[in-house]
Amino acid sequence: MAALRASCSGLITPKTTNRRTTVRVKAIASEPRVELPSGLRNGKGDWAYNSWRNYPAQQQPAYPDADAVKRATGEIASMPPLIFAGECRTLQSRLAKAATGEAFILQGGDCAEAFSQFSANRIRDFYRVLLQMSVVLAFGGGVPVVKLGRIAGQFAKPRSADMEKIGDVELPSYRGDIINGPEFTADARVPDPFRLVRAYNQSAATLNLLRGFSYGGYGGLTRVSQWNLEFMQNSPEGKAYLDLAKRVDEAIQFMIACGMDPSSPLMRETEFYTSHECLLLDYEEALTRQDSTSGDWYDCSAHFLWCGERTRQLDHAHVEFLRGIKNPIGVKVSDKMDPRDLVSLVAKVNPDNTPGRLAVIVRMGAKKLRDKLPALIEAVRQAGQTVTWVSDPMHGNTETVSGYKTRRYDNIRAEIEAFFDVHDALGSVPGGVHLEMTGDNVTECIGGGASISEDDLNSRYHTHCDPRLNAEQALEIAFYVANRLRKRKENLAKAQAQN
């Protein structure tokens, strides 16, 4: 990799050296177990964009050619950043509002992007569905919506096993198109570092289109009634959306009559941010740049990155990398997370307790969430930590039916319901939802208004990894969440009136 690195703003910054730091451990219920040296509390100290290499790294591919990895990552390091530091700072301010209930995060997209499914139409259809959902949430729930796509970088997937066996043949597991191929052949399953370069190029092209949609008028509120997908026009959700879009159009016409300029950026543009799991650290390091205006380091592969359930160990490489970058970040937690460990993790990656810096993304299943989430919320609250709570109702509800990995719509909705119920009971804030979804008319999740049955799974099952909500099911979820947001807002208003 080149010894000099281009920053997010164009400055050329030399590499820095690093050394490993000893971390002392405490075991206090409502305080961090990990006491960080004072030099690390501001995210600097001994941190460097490559200091993660001094720590154990889970879920990394075993490339057969180390020199090829250096050539591929060196090529990426010489490329322009995909996003910019100022965009990350704006996103962080939006996420801070979600932590207090003044906004709501809608995060969604593919389980894993695929090279073979890359097309402008697919990007457009996903973008349209996410816009529809955001309108439902904003208009029905009465709060601004932060639109965060799992796109333009969500290629890699963690695996529970290094090997996959079919019959008598055992091969390395498929880890996403950025690493190896889905075909069950020995050649396809060899990790290829130049897939990193292809993933970068696809991400750049995707972002180019998304920026055009967001700032070129396509994502403007004046087009709200034109976003419906053709295959949804006769569905109950599609009709409900068109009814809502009609009311939005009427409200816009009223505002224009009152003097609002329909060509203003407020009406013609929309904010849209990208995100993916911070998994492949070679790729993330190659796109980490120093901002010339602040001196801070940003991972310029996406606006928002999260640490997965399998890679969130306090003394491992992913947490080490994430603690030093200034992007807003997330951490996924399951029912296995001990409240004290969560407090320690929050302290390590957000030592300054900066609002909007950290989202805790909860993935448990409805019953386990009702049992386990309250203790996590209370531990974080007692520690005085600020986080944004987000529900991932997908990963705790995966099952196998007739040989297909699937999820039941009713279980997904039940987990979201439990998420809101717990926060209502504790007086805390439900800050967002995180969904695996697509704009395609797929049959991967069972149930919902689409009435997909177990027998329908083989009809249009196109995912490379985990099952996704189709557009109709995703919109149905949005209407339910909007209803919960509206009720929450009404209950808060009643409580304030009584006081």
Side-chain angles (χ1 to χ4, degrees):
M1 188 177 297
L4 299 179
R5 304 176 63 82
S7 77
C8 298
S9 304
L11 183 69
I12 301 297
T13 308
K15 278 188 176 181
T16 59
T17 59
N18 63 82
R19 57 185 173 83
R20 189 162 182 172
T21 300
T22 301
V23 175
R24 289 177 290 163
V25 177
K26 301 195 301 182
I28 301 176
S30 61
E31 296 183 6
R33 280 183 176 175
V34 174
E35 183 175 325
L36 299 175
S38 58
L40 301 186
R41 293 189 182 279
N42 60 3
K44 295 180 181 178
D46 288 344
W47 184 90
Y49 64 87
N50 59 357
S51 59
W52 64 269
R53 294 182 180 276
N54 295 332
Y55 297 80
Q58 302 292 328
Q59 299 287 331
Q60 302 305 290
Y63 291 111
D65 186 345
D67 289 338
V69 177
K70 290 180 182 179
R71 292 196 303 273
T73 55
E75 183 175 345
I76 295 169
S78 70
M79 297 289 193
L82 293 174
I83 57 88
F84 302 98
E87 296 172 333
C88 294
R89 289 190 283 268
T90 301
L91 174 59
Q92 182 168 308
S93 70
R94 305 291 189 256
L95 300 180
K97 290 185 178 296
T100 60
E102 300 171 83
F104 193 79
I105 301 165
L106 173 61
Q107 186 174 10
D110 272 324
C111 167
E113 294 173 272
F115 294 159
S116 63
Q117 296 179 359
F118 176 55
S119 74
N121 287 345
R122 279 199 170 94
I123 297 169
R124 179 204 61 204
D125 290 349
F126 157 72
Y127 184 80
R128 283 199 290 185
V129 174
L130 206 74
L131 287 180
Q132 286 181 308
M133 296 171 72
S134 69
V135 167
V136 170
L137 293 174
F139 197 78
V143 292
V145 176
V146 183
K147 295 177 283 297
L148 194 54
R150 290 173 54 113
I151 196 169
Q154 180 55 24
F155 290 98
K157 290 298 293 181
R159 302 281 83 176
S160 57
D162 290 335
M163 303 297 289
E164 177 185 358
K165 189 172 184 178
I166 299 179
D168 295 329
V169 180
E170 188 174 56
L171 294 174
S173 296
Y174 169 62
R175 292 180 173 273
D177 279 7
I178 195 171
I179 297 172
N180 55 8
E183 302 84 7
F184 194 71
T185 66
D187 288 344
R189 294 300 175 90
V190 175
D192 178 2
F194 286 95
R195 285 175 171 265
L196 299 170
V197 179
R198 183 172 178 182
Y200 168 88
N201 290 330
Q202 181 168 319
S203 297
T206 300
L207 266 164
N208 183 57
L209 190 57
L210 291 171
R211 292 184 194 278
F213 286 153
S214 298
Y215 299 108
Y218 186 84
L221 283 174
T222 54
R223 296 178 61 97
V224 69
S225 61
Q226 301 174 35
W227 294 335
N228 219 16
L229 294 162
E230 288 75 14
F231 66 83
M232 288 180 57
Q233 289 179 354
N234 296 321
S235 71
E237 287 69 33
K239 292 176 180 177
Y241 173 77
L242 288 176
D243 288 342
L244 183 145
K246 182 179 178 181
R247 286 186 283 156
V248 172
D249 284 339
E250 290 171 350
I252 290 172
Q253 292 305 315
F254 172 75
M255 290 188 290
I256 291 173
C258 292
M260 186 184 69
D261 182 3
S263 63
S264 68
L266 179 66
M267 298 301 297
R268 286 183 46 81
E269 300 176 1
T270 189
E271 290 182 8
F272 187 93
Y273 300 96
T274 62
S275 67
H276 63 255
E277 180 175 357
C278 177
L279 191 61
L280 280 184
L281 293 176
D282 284 314
Y283 180 79
E284 305 302 342
E285 177 189 317
L287 281 164
T288 299
R289 316 289 165 87
Q290 189 172 27
D291 176 31
S292 60
T293 61
S294 65
D296 292 326
W297 290 83
Y298 288 83
D299 183 347
C300 296
S301 68
H303 300 103
F304 177 96
L305 298 108
W306 72 86
C307 188
E309 169 76 5
R310 295 182 177 93
T311 56
R312 57 171 172 76
Q313 299 89 347
L314 277 173
D315 57 352
H316 280 208
H318 290 83
V319 170
E320 166 63 17
F321 176 79
L322 285 168
R323 77 173 178 88
I325 61 171
K326 287 295 182 177
N327 307 59
I329 62 174
V331 57
K332 285 203 177 183
V333 302
S334 72
D335 58 292
K336 300 180 182 69
M337 172 63 86
D338 183 283
R340 295 168 297 182
D341 291 336
L342 178 59
V343 171
S344 298
L345 181 56
V346 172
K348 187 162 188 177
V349 298
N350 190 20
D352 296 328
N353 206 22
T354 304
R357 157 69 173 170
L358 179 63
V360 177
I361 307 167
V362 184
R363 41 155 292 182
M364 296 183 181
K367 184 181 185 304
K368 289 180 179 179
L369 185 143
R370 290 184 186 276
D371 293 338
K372 301 292 185 177
L373 181 58
L376 298 179
I377 294 173
E378 287 294 354
V380 169
R381 181 153 52 190
Q382 288 174 24
Q385 295 170 325
T386 300
V387 304
T388 306
W389 295 99
V390 176
S391 170
D392 169 2
M394 310 299 293
H395 287 88
N397 294 298
T398 306
E399 60 185 275
T400 300
V401 174
S402 302
Y404 291 93
K405 287 176 69 176
T406 189
R407 292 156 174 158
R408 298 182 188 273
Y409 173 88
D410 289 346
N411 293 338
I412 294 168
R413 173 172 161 163
E415 182 160 352
I416 297 174
E417 181 180 20
F419 179 74
F420 274 90
D421 287 349
V422 168
H423 282 289
D424 287 349
L426 295 179
S428 48
V429 178
V433 291
H434 179 124
L435 305 171
E436 289 188 341
M437 50 167 282
T438 176
D440 296 339
N441 187 20
V442 299
T443 55
E444 297 169 3
C445 292
I446 296 169
S451 300
I452 295 173
S453 68
E454 295 180 7
D455 293 336
D456 295 323
L457 290 176
N458 66 355
S459 174
R460 293 181 300 278
Y461 194 96
H462 300 315
T463 183
H464 276 210
C465 286
D466 292 338
R468 305 160 295 176
L469 296 168
N470 64 23
E472 195 173 340
Q473 292 165 325
L475 197 55
E476 191 173 352
I477 288 291
F479 276 108
Y480 174 74
V481 173
N483 184 54
R484 290 303 302 253
L485 289 172
R486 183 173 60 253
K487 287 183 178 179
R488 183 176 183 276
K489 191 173 183 180
E490 291 170 352
N491 290 338
L492 289 173
K494 289 179 182 177
Q496 290 175 353
Q498 291 174 356
N499 294 333

